């Protein structure tokens, strides 16, 4: 009955603009409206908003061409145009009287059968539709997106008492398939689900840090990656979002949550933070800083921390506690709870309070613990949901520790005593219900999360960096699982062994994981270790093994499909480049960035781009120049559509999906098709442009240096890249095969690795996470 082909978004603020941008990414024609400007251009508000869609730091569009899908206007001159829309999404300020007035106008204009929704995060649907006609109530829902809309996976859909099930089904299906969202259906309760738990955890971390007299860097060292949540920590998050805005979020929940809700125990305004706001210390958005600041905004090593005693800033000099380092390295947050240090007390207070709070929300906020876990993983980027974390602790162990402290035990915990919230039974994953029984987790057709499936399988091969599984009966799958999925000797050893095993036993091999990033490249610490010890033989052997592994994968007798999401850069992208086909997530970031740390791609990346650009350009010289520019500048694509222009995405071969949860199924389907009569495609030789083009490239590098665009070591690095793509000091027309190109890459890598400038670049990147310009 309901189908979304055209849409309108009313409100061009952060959220409305993000929704409009993602609709455009989904290929939907969208009308974006906001208030008219009183003077001059009536559509100035929306025009200024559109400029933000193309922000270089966090672009909301997959490609600038998506702008063609967006039409702008204002709600006085253009409101009548919403009559053409199948879905009208309201995203104006959180003021009930304004929303109600707008709904009356919308209802007079919209056509019957169109859907209306609100992006509210605080106002119950019962209040929003009060006094509206029955049909409007039937075709109205809340669609609560998370910011930034393009990147945050969670969408909470809230239905009212009269909302048609068909409306909910249409919104859920469209947003899952077209907008790439993970859907959580919520009851019409204050704060819904994600913010209810997420903000409680943040406020608990904040208040507990002050009670335990922890400095910001101490608290953030615990309440971050070691706990399986984003690295910003609580003080870093307040700075990132804005101390005033985060305070407003907390206040909004104070106003809507029942008086008996334990959220009020961590909602009091902190005097120190009130003083910060009064003095303009608002966080990253302000000029003065927040809990942290950079003395020199251009120097990542100049980080400073606010002294609470005298409101001055001191240089940031802090080493993570050993328990935090171990918990992060082993991906095991339970290690934070060992011992009785201030850090372990801090971790326990946050975790015990938050997990009990999440458990208390069943069944009123949601009947399913899977929904609560999904909300926190998709909306707040937690590695595990609250009930998965309780399972990691052990239900009975968790209860026992609560009882020793005289704490109240949520009823769902008591019911699960002696059990776990998730279990594997007869080859499938089940979850514990409020009735005390287990139900099979069922996702819609095509939706798969390997983090769930992994619990069912036993790996065929495994080491600390990667594992290899059998999936779908006749496919192998490699999963990287090191820190940031950085690739080292263990990663490549397992990948090579998996290729050999899959050739002998299966019809295809998939390379995929559910981590935030497919792979952030080769392990830079390992490379730095080779350089510090001057183990050039060891480094060359590592590179040689990497090259042989990706070559074996490329010319395997079965199809190999990569299915990346997040970052696939450096060595991680070299793995992707060597597969038969790639199924990307729409938000994948790809590129060969090795030049930023003073080396070159040494695992076939330059070679692969050379061949791809030859196919695009039609000749070797133009291919050499295109590759030289891409690799020299360390260019990255922020989406598969941008990757086309950089030769990193092959139209007609590679593809992408909007929803990360569809990656694995799409990769298996692609491998299944390729497996029919599959034969590896061998490359012909490459005709090298030779010394004349090499000299032209060196002259270009020198000119750019003289103009101030390139540093001395940029020139040195670029010269080695130029040597690879041209063949260096050889005659034009010299024939080289893939092994010759591999050898050029290794030689260039080793030449650069022996320089003091590269050593400094690598050290700087490891220390500060930013490139050194030397």
């Amino acid at each position: 009955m309901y189908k979304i082909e055209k849409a309108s978004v009313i409100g061009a603020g952060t959220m409305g603009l993000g929704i409009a941008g993602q609709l455009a990414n989904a290929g939907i024609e969208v009308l974006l409206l906001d208030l008219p400007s009183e003077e001059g251009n009536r559509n100035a508000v929306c025009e200024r908003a559109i400029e933000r869609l193309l922000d270089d730091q966090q672009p909301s569009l997959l490609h600038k061409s998506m702008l063609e899908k967006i039409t702008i206007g204002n709600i006085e001159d253009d409101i009548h145009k919403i009559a053409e829309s199948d879905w009208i999404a309201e995203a104006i300020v959180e003021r009930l009287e304004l929303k109600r007035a707008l709904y009356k106008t919308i209802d007079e204009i919209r056509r019957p059968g169109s859907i209306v929704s609100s992006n509210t995060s605080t106002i119950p649907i019962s209040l929003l539709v009060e006094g509206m006609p029955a049909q409007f109530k039937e075709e109205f829902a809340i669609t609560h997106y998370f910011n930034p809309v393009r990147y945050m996976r969670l969408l909470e859909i809230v239905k009212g008492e009269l909302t048609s099930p068909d409306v909910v089904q249409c919104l859920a299906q469209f947003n899952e398939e077209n907008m790439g969202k993970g859907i959580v259906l919520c009851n019409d309760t204050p704060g819904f689900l994600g913010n209810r738990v997420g903000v409680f955890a943040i406020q608990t971390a904040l208040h507990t840090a002050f009670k335990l007299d922890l400095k910001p860097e101490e608290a953030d060292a615990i309440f971050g990656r070691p706990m399986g949540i984003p690295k910003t920590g609580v003080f870093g998050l307040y700075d990132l979002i804005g101390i005033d805005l985060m305070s407003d979020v907390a206040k909004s929940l104070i106003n809507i949550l029942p008086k008996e809700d334990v959220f009020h125990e961590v909602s009091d305004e902190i005097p120190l933070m009130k003083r910060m706001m009064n003095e303009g210390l608002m966080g990253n958005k302000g000029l003065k800083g927040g809990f942290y600041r950079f003395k020199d905004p251009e120097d990542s090593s100049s980080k400073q921390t606010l002294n609470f005693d005298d409101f001055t800033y001191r240089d940031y000099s802090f080493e993570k506690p050993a328990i935090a380092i171990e918990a992060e390295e082993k991906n095991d947050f339970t290690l934070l709870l060992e011992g009785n240090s201030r850090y372990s007390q801090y971790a326990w207070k946050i975790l015990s309070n938050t997990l009990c709070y999440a458990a208390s929300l069943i069944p009123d906020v949601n009947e399913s613990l899977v929904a609560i876990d999904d909300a926190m993983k998709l909306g707040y980027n937690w590695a595990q949901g609250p009930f998965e974390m309780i399972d990691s602790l052990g239900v009975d162990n968790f209860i026992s520790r609560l009882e020793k402290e005289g704490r109240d035990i949520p009823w769902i915990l008591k019911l699960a005593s002696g059990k776990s919230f998730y279990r594997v039974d007869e080859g499938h994953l089940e979850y514990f219900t409020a009735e005390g029984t287990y139900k099979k987790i069922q996702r819609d057709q095509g939706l798969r999360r390997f983090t769930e499936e992994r619990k069912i399988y036993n790996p065929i091969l495994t080491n600390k960096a990667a594992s290899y599984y059998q999936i779908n009966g006749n496919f192998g799958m490699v999963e990287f699982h090191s820190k940031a999925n950085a690739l080292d000797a263990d990663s490549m050893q397992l990948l090579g062994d998996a290729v050999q095993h899959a050739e002998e036993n299966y019809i295809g091999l998939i390379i995929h994981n559910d981590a935030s990033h497919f792979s952030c490249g080769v392990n830079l610490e390992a490379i730095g270790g080779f350089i510090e010890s001057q183990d050039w033989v060891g480094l060359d052997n590592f590179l040689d093994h990497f090259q042989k592994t990706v070559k074996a994968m490329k010319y395997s007798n079965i199809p190999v499909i990569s299915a990346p999401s997040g970052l696939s850069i450096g060595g991680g992208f070299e793995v992707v480049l060597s597969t038969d086909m790639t199924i990307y997530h729409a938000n994948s970031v790809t590129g060969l960035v090795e030049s930023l740390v003073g080396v070159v791609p040494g695992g076939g990346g330059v070679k692969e781009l050379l061949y791809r650009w030859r196919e695009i350009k039609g000749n070797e010289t133009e291919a050499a120049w295109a590759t030289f520019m891409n690799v020299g500048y360390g260019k990255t694509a922020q989406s598969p559509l941008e990757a086309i222009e950089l030769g990193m995405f092959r139209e007609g071969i590679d593809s992408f999906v909007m929803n990360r949860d569809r990656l694995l199924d799409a990769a298996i389907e692609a491998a299944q098709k390729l497996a029919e009569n599959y034969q590896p495609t061998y490359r012909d030789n490459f005709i090298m442009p030779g010394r004349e083009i090499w000299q032209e490239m060196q002259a270009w590098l020198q000119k750019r240096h003289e103009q101030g665009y390139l540093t001395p070591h940029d020139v040195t690095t670029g010269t080695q890249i130029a040597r690879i793509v041209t063949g260096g000091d050889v005659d034009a027309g010299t024939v080289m095969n893939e092994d010759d190109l591999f050898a050029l890459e290794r030689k260039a890598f080793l030449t650069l690795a022996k320089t003091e400038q590269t050593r400094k670049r690598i050290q700087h990147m490891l220390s500060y996470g930013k490139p050194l310009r030397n």
Side-chain angles (χ1 to χ4, degrees), residues 467-657:
S467 295
Y468 168 61
Y469 300 86
Q470 176 188 2
I471 59 172
N472 280 53
N474 54 2
F475 292 92
M477 198 198 94
V478 170
E479 176 197 41
F480 300 134
H481 48 65
S482 58
K483 183 179 177 180
N485 286 332
L487 305 179
D488 58 16
D490 288 328
S491 312
M492 303 315 292
Q493 184 63 53
L494 188 133
L495 179 57
D497 292 344
V499 170
Q500 183 177 346
H501 184 276
E503 284 182 318
E504 297 170 356
N505 295 277
Y506 304 126
I507 66 171
L509 179 66
I510 313 295
I511 308 175
H512 170 71
N513 61 72
D514 271 347
S516 298
H517 302 299
F518 176 80
S519 173
C520 295
V522 168
N523 187 325
L524 202 55
E525 289 184 2
I527 298 299
F530 284 121
I531 292 173
E532 291 298 327
S533 62
Q534 298 188 22
D535 183 5
W536 311 123
V537 173
L539 180 55
D540 189 45
N541 288 340
F542 169 74
L543 295 172
D544 183 56
H545 180 251
F546 194 114
Q547 293 176 343
K548 287 176 178 175
T549 301
V550 294
K551 184 178 180 182
M553 184 175 67
K554 184 168 189 61
Y555 295 118
S556 169
N557 59 27
I558 58 172
V560 180
I561 309 294
S562 52
S565 58
L567 293 177
S568 302
I569 57 175
F573 191 48
E574 289 181 292
V575 171
V576 170
L577 284 168
S578 295
T579 56
D580 292 290
M581 180 187 294
T582 304
I583 313 294
Y584 290 98
H585 178 230
N587 292 337
S588 294
V589 177
T590 53
L592 297 172
V593 297
E594 287 85 348
S595 63
L596 302 180
V597 290
V599 292
V600 299
V606 181
K607 168 182 73 71
E608 287 300 314
L609 280 191
L610 271 175
Y611 276 103
R612 290 192 181 193
W613 277 114
R614 186 180 69 174
E615 182 118 356
I616 296 167
K617 298 290 188 179
N619 69 78
E620 281 84 353
T621 298
E622 287 191 54
W625 274 104
T627 305
F628 171 70
M629 292 296 183
N630 278 17
V631 178
Y633 279 115
K635 291 182 180 179
T636 57
Q638 301 294 313
S639 74
L641 294 182
E642 289 187 4
I644 294 172
E645 299 169 356
L646 297 177
M648 299 176 185
F649 181 98
R650 299 164 295 184
E651 292 185 279
I653 297 176
D654 300 327
S655 62
F656 71 91
V657 297

